[in-house]
Amino acid sequence: SFEKNIKADYLDKLQHAYMQYFRLQTHSAVLIVDTSTIDFVSKQKDYEKIKSLLNNEYSKGQHYIKV
């Protein structure tokens, strides 16, 4: 598929640009969820955890959560 041809360097730059943008968003809550250690596609429990996090109320600013 198309995504397989995207270079890692491009993805790193894109991620950095998004993170820079998110840091500037002080008027709303920004939730960054590190899902590198779970499988929310195959495991219902992991999926429910992500849903729960997304349904919570957060104060303005950036919130980093490792699950």
Side-chain angles (χ1 to χ4, degrees):
S1 75
F2 173 76
E3 292 86 5
K4 291 181 181 180
N5 296 324
I6 298 176
K7 295 184 182 211
D9 182 54
Y10 171 77
L11 293 175
D12 287 340
K13 289 178 182 176
L14 186 62
Q15 180 183 15
H16 180 74
Y18 271 111
M19 294 304 289
Q20 287 291 91
Y21 174 78
F22 290 147
R23 283 187 193 102
L24 299 174
Q25 303 311 304
T26 58
H27 60 281
S28 60
V30 175
L31 182 63
I32 300 169
V33 182
D34 181 350
T35 60
S36 61
T37 60
I38 65 171
D39 183 359
F40 62 89
V41 174
S42 299
K43 296 181 179 177
Q44 185 68 28
K45 179 181 172 188
D46 291 346
Y47 174 73
E48 295 298 329
K49 176 66 175 175
I50 297 300
K51 277 184 26 180
S52 174
L53 291 172
L54 294 176
N55 285 322
N56 287 339
E57 293 285 329
Y58 296 94
S59 61
K60 293 178 181 179
Q62 191 171 341
H63 303 273
Y64 180 84
I65 299 174
K66 184 171 178 90
V67 290

